[in-house]
Amino acid sequence: MLVHPQFDPIALQLGPVAIHWYGLTYLVAFGLFLWLATLRTRQPQYAQTGWTRRDVEDLLFFGVVGVVLGGRLGYSLFYKPDYYLSHPLEMLMVWKGGMSFHGGLLGVLAAMAFFAHRRGRRFFEVTDLIAPCVPLGLASGRIGNFINGELWGRAADPSLPWAMVFPQSGSDLPRHPSQLYQFGLEGVLLFVLLWVYARRPHAVGRVSGAFLVGYGVFRFIAEYFREPDSFLGLLALNMSMGQWLCVPMVLAGIVLWWRAGAVPAARMAR
């Protein structure tokens, strides 16, 4: 049976400055976004409409602000509303941990809406550009989760070759390394599917819809192997909070994908 190696969370110590592995995975995610989004701006459908590297850098800035604020607020309101509504100032204490992907997504969408308004571009044009660039960043974050030994999986059959004991869980139960499942599904696999799909021109909004459906489905599957939050457990229909949050995401993606093909591009949201 495998045992999580319990990595030192600090990758490099430079005097009083400690560089954590998790911070490095964020830097990798940002670097991947810059590279991939720049490649996207060179594709004909974006190059012809004046997209530049400077636009990508601005998108990254707004996106980072959106994901941090949205991720923290989402975690506070989706997962621990009673506590954080009683201690609202702690919502701003990001160093205490606690981020929600679904909240981060809403934050990014708000940031992209602001960017689109400022630049006079259609909202779904912006989200179509960035959607295929996101999954590898998510994959990098899941590696950070694995290194930190957090967000471990549910108990697994001991005969499973890759079942792993996470001492951080406080038990010797073999578990699914669900961080790596999410790395593969909502990270690498989703990236490949979206990148291939988005290489050809599509109606504005369809790439964004495909991202919502793809991430929602893969995250829903991965949640069956991920240990639910101890303070929530499983909710109605034996589904986790993560799964329940994926349901409207998938439905919205289906509606967006269908509507994008049915509505003339000039009428899509700006």
Side-chain angles (χ1 to χ4, degrees), residues 45-56:
Q45 66 267 37
Y46 295 107
Q48 292 169 2
T49 53
W51 282 90
T52 67
R53 165 82 177 203
R54 178 61 183 274
D55 292 324
V56 172

PDB file of all heavy atoms in Angstrom, residues 45-56:
ATOM      1  N   GLN A  45      -9.562  33.629 -35.990  1.00  0.00           N
ATOM      2  CA  GLN A  45     -10.781  34.281 -35.498  1.00  0.00           C
ATOM      3  C   GLN A  45     -10.499  35.351 -34.449  1.00  0.00           C
ATOM      4  O   GLN A  45     -11.325  36.245 -34.228  1.00  0.00           O
ATOM      5  CB  GLN A  45     -11.772  33.244 -34.947  1.00  0.00           C
ATOM      6  CG  GLN A  45     -11.309  32.495 -33.694  1.00  0.00           C
ATOM      7  CD  GLN A  45     -10.605  31.192 -34.026  1.00  0.00           C
ATOM      8  OE1 GLN A  45      -9.872  31.124 -35.005  1.00  0.00           O
ATOM      9  NE2 GLN A  45     -10.848  30.171 -33.227  1.00  0.00           N
ATOM     10  N   TYR A  46      -9.334  35.297 -33.788  1.00  0.00           N
ATOM     11  CA  TYR A  46      -8.973  36.316 -32.796  1.00  0.00           C
ATOM     12  C   TYR A  46      -7.965  37.318 -33.355  1.00  0.00           C
ATOM     13  O   TYR A  46      -8.047  38.510 -33.051  1.00  0.00           O
ATOM     14  CB  TYR A  46      -8.421  35.649 -31.532  1.00  0.00           C
ATOM     15  CG  TYR A  46      -9.466  34.821 -30.833  1.00  0.00           C
ATOM     16  CD1 TYR A  46      -9.430  33.427 -30.860  1.00  0.00           C
ATOM     17  CD2 TYR A  46     -10.520  35.431 -30.158  1.00  0.00           C
ATOM     18  CE1 TYR A  46     -10.404  32.676 -30.234  1.00  0.00           C
ATOM     19  CE2 TYR A  46     -11.506  34.690 -29.536  1.00  0.00           C
ATOM     20  CZ  TYR A  46     -11.447  33.303 -29.572  1.00  0.00           C
ATOM     21  OH  TYR A  46     -12.421  32.557 -28.964  1.00  0.00           O
ATOM     22  N   ALA A  47      -7.033  36.855 -34.153  1.00  0.00           N
ATOM     23  CA  ALA A  47      -6.051  37.770 -34.750  1.00  0.00           C
ATOM     24  C   ALA A  47      -6.750  38.806 -35.629  1.00  0.00           C
ATOM     25  O   ALA A  47      -6.359  39.983 -35.652  1.00  0.00           O
ATOM     26  CB  ALA A  47      -5.034  36.980 -35.567  1.00  0.00           C
ATOM     27  N   GLN A  48      -7.796  38.380 -36.333  1.00  0.00           N
ATOM     28  CA  GLN A  48      -8.493  39.293 -37.235  1.00  0.00           C
ATOM     29  C   GLN A  48      -9.281  40.370 -36.498  1.00  0.00           C
ATOM     30  O   GLN A  48      -9.648  41.386 -37.087  1.00  0.00           O
ATOM     31  CB  GLN A  48      -9.437  38.496 -38.141  1.00  0.00           C
ATOM     32  CG  GLN A  48      -8.702  37.598 -39.131  1.00  0.00           C
ATOM     33  CD  GLN A  48      -9.643  36.628 -39.837  1.00  0.00           C
ATOM     34  OE1 GLN A  48     -10.852  36.657 -39.616  1.00  0.00           O
ATOM     35  NE2 GLN A  48      -9.085  35.776 -40.682  1.00  0.00           N
ATOM     36  N   THR A  49      -9.569  40.141 -35.223  1.00  0.00           N
ATOM     37  CA  THR A  49     -10.336  41.131 -34.460  1.00  0.00           C
ATOM     38  C   THR A  49      -9.452  41.921 -33.498  1.00  0.00           C
ATOM     39  O   THR A  49      -9.963  42.581 -32.581  1.00  0.00           O
ATOM     40  CB  THR A  49     -11.485  40.446 -33.685  1.00  0.00           C
ATOM     41  OG1 THR A  49     -10.951  39.368 -32.887  1.00  0.00           O
ATOM     42  CG2 THR A  49     -12.521  39.894 -34.646  1.00  0.00           C
ATOM     43  N   GLY A  50      -8.126  41.834 -33.675  1.00  0.00           N
ATOM     44  CA  GLY A  50      -7.223  42.722 -32.961  1.00  0.00           C
ATOM     45  C   GLY A  50      -6.783  42.309 -31.578  1.00  0.00           C
ATOM     46  O   GLY A  50      -6.290  43.133 -30.797  1.00  0.00           O
ATOM     47  N   TRP A  51      -6.921  41.032 -31.216  1.00  0.00           N
ATOM     48  CA  TRP A  51      -6.456  40.579 -29.913  1.00  0.00           C
ATOM     49  C   TRP A  51      -4.924  40.582 -29.874  1.00  0.00           C
ATOM     50  O   TRP A  51      -4.268  40.201 -30.846  1.00  0.00           O
ATOM     51  CB  TRP A  51      -6.970  39.172 -29.611  1.00  0.00           C
ATOM     52  CG  TRP A  51      -8.402  39.141 -29.183  1.00  0.00           C
ATOM     53  CD1 TRP A  51      -9.495  39.013 -29.979  1.00  0.00           C
ATOM     54  CD2 TRP A  51      -8.886  39.240 -27.845  1.00  0.00           C
ATOM     55  NE1 TRP A  51     -10.642  39.024 -29.237  1.00  0.00           N
ATOM     56  CE2 TRP A  51     -10.294  39.161 -27.909  1.00  0.00           C
ATOM     57  CE3 TRP A  51      -8.275  39.379 -26.601  1.00  0.00           C
ATOM     58  CZ2 TRP A  51     -11.103  39.219 -26.772  1.00  0.00           C
ATOM     59  CZ3 TRP A  51      -9.081  39.436 -25.469  1.00  0.00           C
ATOM     60  CH2 TRP A  51     -10.472  39.362 -25.562  1.00  0.00           C
ATOM     61  N   THR A  52      -4.348  41.010 -28.742  1.00  0.00           N
ATOM     62  CA  THR A  52      -2.896  41.114 -28.605  1.00  0.00           C
ATOM     63  C   THR A  52      -2.422  40.475 -27.301  1.00  0.00           C
ATOM     64  O   THR A  52      -3.232  40.135 -26.429  1.00  0.00           O
ATOM     65  CB  THR A  52      -2.443  42.589 -28.605  1.00  0.00           C
ATOM     66  OG1 THR A  52      -2.946  43.230 -27.406  1.00  0.00           O
ATOM     67  CG2 THR A  52      -2.954  43.317 -29.836  1.00  0.00           C
ATOM     68  N   ARG A  53      -1.108  40.357 -27.176  1.00  0.00           N
ATOM     69  CA  ARG A  53      -0.498  39.852 -25.940  1.00  0.00           C
ATOM     70  C   ARG A  53      -0.856  40.745 -24.756  1.00  0.00           C
ATOM     71  O   ARG A  53      -1.059  40.263 -23.648  1.00  0.00           O
ATOM     72  CB  ARG A  53       1.020  39.784 -26.133  1.00  0.00           C
ATOM     73  CG  ARG A  53       1.831  39.621 -24.864  1.00  0.00           C
ATOM     74  CD  ARG A  53       1.894  38.200 -24.402  1.00  0.00           C
ATOM     75  NE  ARG A  53       2.728  38.068 -23.217  1.00  0.00           N
ATOM     76  CZ  ARG A  53       3.320  36.947 -22.845  1.00  0.00           C
ATOM     77  NH1 ARG A  53       3.184  35.859 -23.571  1.00  0.00           N
ATOM     78  NH2 ARG A  53       4.052  36.900 -21.756  1.00  0.00           N
ATOM     79  N   ARG A  54      -0.926  42.060 -24.991  1.00  0.00           N
ATOM     80  CA  ARG A  54      -1.293  42.983 -23.908  1.00  0.00           C
ATOM     81  C   ARG A  54      -2.697  42.666 -23.379  1.00  0.00           C
ATOM     82  O   ARG A  54      -2.953  42.743 -22.170  1.00  0.00           O
ATOM     83  CB  ARG A  54      -1.220  44.420 -24.413  1.00  0.00           C
ATOM     84  CG  ARG A  54      -1.637  45.469 -23.375  1.00  0.00           C
ATOM     85  CD  ARG A  54      -0.747  45.444 -22.155  1.00  0.00           C
ATOM     86  NE  ARG A  54      -1.195  46.392 -21.149  1.00  0.00           N
ATOM     87  CZ  ARG A  54      -0.841  47.671 -21.121  1.00  0.00           C
ATOM     88  NH1 ARG A  54      -0.026  48.141 -22.063  1.00  0.00           N
ATOM     89  NH2 ARG A  54      -1.278  48.470 -20.173  1.00  0.00           N
ATOM     90  N   ASP A  55      -3.604  42.314 -24.267  1.00  0.00           N
ATOM     91  CA  ASP A  55      -4.941  41.924 -23.833  1.00  0.00           C
ATOM     92  C   ASP A  55      -4.873  40.704 -22.921  1.00  0.00           C
ATOM     93  O   ASP A  55      -5.590  40.623 -21.912  1.00  0.00           O
ATOM     94  CB  ASP A  55      -5.824  41.604 -25.044  1.00  0.00           C
ATOM     95  CG  ASP A  55      -6.137  42.822 -25.883  1.00  0.00           C
ATOM     96  OD1 ASP A  55      -6.309  43.905 -25.300  1.00  0.00           O
ATOM     97  OD2 ASP A  55      -6.198  42.685 -27.115  1.00  0.00           O
ATOM     98  N   VAL A  56      -4.032  39.745 -23.279  1.00  0.00           N
ATOM     99  CA  VAL A  56      -3.893  38.532 -22.475  1.00  0.00           C
ATOM    100  C   VAL A  56      -3.360  38.869 -21.086  1.00  0.00           C
ATOM    101  O   VAL A  56      -3.834  38.334 -20.072  1.00  0.00           O
ATOM    102  CB  VAL A  56      -2.965  37.523 -23.182  1.00  0.00           C
ATOM    103  CG1 VAL A  56      -2.642  36.340 -22.272  1.00  0.00           C
ATOM    104  CG2 VAL A  56      -3.607  37.036 -24.481  1.00  0.00           C
TER     105      VAL A  56
END
